[in-house]
Amino acid sequence: MAFHHTRLPITCLTLCLVLSATTRHADPKPIPARLIPTPAKDTTYFLGPLRPDGTVDYIAALNQKLSQGITPDNNAAYALLAVMPPERLNMDGHGGIPKLEAAFGVPFLNPRPTYQGVPSRDQDDPVGRQFDLAIDGPWAPEHLPAVADWLNNNQAALEAVIRAVERDMAWWPIITKAPEAMLYLILLPELGETRSLARGLVVRAHRALAHGDLDAVIRDWRAIQKLGHHTSANPIIISRLVGYSIQTMADHLAVRLLAHPDVTVQQVQQMAIVWAAVYPVPSIADAIDFVERIMLLQSLQAVAAGRIPPEDFFDGRGRFAVRSPAFRIDPALRQMNRRYDQLVQIAELQRFQAFNESLARFQEELETAQDPVTGIRGRHGDASERFSAWLGDSLAGWSLLSLDSAFASNLDANSRLELLQLAIALRLHRFEHQRYPATLDALTPKYIAKLPVDRYDGRPLTYKPGPDGTTYLLYAVGRNGQDDGGRHDPREADIAVGDPMPAGW
């Protein structure tokens, strides 16, 4: 009994189903008791709120969970969404601004500055080429007049972003078109807009850098770091990844700043304070524990309740399985939760090699459990429970292929921040001693309490000071586990910082 999507990651499934399927509605029919889940931590994960048919309203549950302690005054997401263009937040008929205001419980203030997103960086477009240059490095208005005009028109909005990210918390409401909407159909238009806000701050910081205004650069750098941190607060994997990518923009700017000859000790000390506020990045394990898990539990619940036809998920034999009188939803949900508990433990590992080895063992175990003959016979319980638990294992395979790349991105983000912490400590050492140290050990305990190790191979980070003490190169070996001499390329080679700034940033 094979399933189309057994090995397809749920995050990829999302994209496929958005294009190919919509939630279908049939006349409500009574749901057999064996298909109504028993609310419990090991079945539905959330105990409520419950729909009239006895199933969990997962979107309401997530919004309740994630909005705890949130008010309009402390919510960075509320203030950031207020800056984004309303027409870009229509969310494909999901309600747009009115839905957001209802979720927050307070309307957006008017008038408010509206951000005009960064135009295309298309190299075939003259304006796009100007913006590409302004995002990549320092620039002067006389050389990039279109960028200068755009920046002047967006100053008020960027200042609103600066104020917004200083708020303590961030809750991004999950907005739906209908109460029974599925999580995999939720659109997240704010992610593209948030990335655009970060690029606008980068453009402004690069102009200030060209003018030698390092205080202004640090102000925008701080905002980019916090914007990435607040974006990552949303425990949807794609939100976490966008948050990491925004923090990459900030890391790029920080490495450039620390290598600047005019940076002061006070400015570097400010950077150290910001670093402490954004490290470590929000974990992928949390995203798997909440939203990835809930996507699958909600999907099976909706199929069992008749809100989604089984053909949207299964092949012919799979439809037969979920419609079989032998199928009970509780054993399937319990088995899916057991597998997600294992995935969360794997995602919490701090070393790349340990993660890869654990994920490989888990994948082998799951493939054995998914066998339609031995995978059913080798279980405990009556025939119905064994059959249902086997189906739960077959569904749990959805998250495997998305987990490795998401974990690697989380690892990259934390590695960059650890290297940045060392770069700050190295710069402070140079201020005091007029040179970079011969070894990293000289940084402890005065400039850094403990030296981090390379997250990719578990060994000490590679540090190469210049012979005269005025330059250095510091790097982790990166995903390939090989020493590529400090060539900065996180996906293919090393993750590096240094003075001068390493090529590749």
Side-chain angles (χ1 to χ4, degrees), residues 484-498:
D484 293 294
R487 179 171 63 87
H488 181 81
D489 186 351
R491 290 190 175 275
E492 301 294 336
D494 302 329
I495 301 180
V497 298

Side-chain angles (χ1 to χ4, degrees), residues 307-427:
R307 285 194 294 274
I308 291 181
E311 54 264 29
D312 282 353
F313 289 87
F314 307 122
D315 63 11
R317 288 173 293 180
R319 293 195 294 274
F320 170 79
V322 80
R323 288 168 171 163
S324 168
F327 173 68
R328 303 201 316 266
I329 195 168
D330 278 357
L333 292 174
R334 288 192 187 98
Q335 191 62 19
M336 289 160 62
N337 276 308
R338 290 188 191 107
R339 295 306 187 187
Y340 270 92
D341 289 344
Q342 289 179 271
L343 284 171
V344 170
Q345 290 179 352
I346 294 170
E348 287 174 340
L349 295 172
Q350 300 298 308
R351 298 286 178 266
F352 198 54
Q353 183 177 357
F355 167 81
N356 283 334
E357 292 172 352
S358 296
L359 186 62
R361 287 194 298 269
F362 176 78
Q363 183 172 341
E364 183 177 352
E365 176 186 338
L366 194 57
E367 287 177 350
T368 300
Q370 289 172 341
D371 184 273
V373 178
T374 60
I376 295 177
R377 288 177 180 171
R379 299 176 190 270
H380 298 292
D382 60 26
S384 177
E385 183 162 352
R386 295 197 307 271
F387 176 81
S388 303
W390 164 79
L391 182 62
D393 267 340
S394 297
L395 295 174
W398 270 345
S399 288
L400 276 181
L401 295 183
S402 64
L403 181 57
D404 54 355
S405 61
F407 177 85
S409 296
N410 178 273
L411 203 67
D412 293 345
N414 276 321
S415 293
R416 285 193 306 269
L417 283 174
E418 287 165 354
L419 289 167
L420 179 57
Q421 182 193 30
L422 283 169
I424 290 170
L426 284 164
R427 200 68 168 90

Side-chain angles (χ1 to χ4, degrees), residues 18 31 64 69 96 115 118 172 204 236 244 252 348 413 424 462 503:
V18 166
I31 304 173
Q64 287 179 11
Y115 180 72
V118 173
W172 304 85
R204 189 168 75 169
I236 296 176
Y244 300 163
H252 173 277
E348 287 174 340
I424 290 170
T462 302

Side-chain angles (χ1 to χ4, degrees), residues 37 81 160 201 246 350 379 481 503 505:
L81 285 162
L201 289 167
I246 290 172
Q350 300 298 308
R379 299 176 190 270
W505 273 98

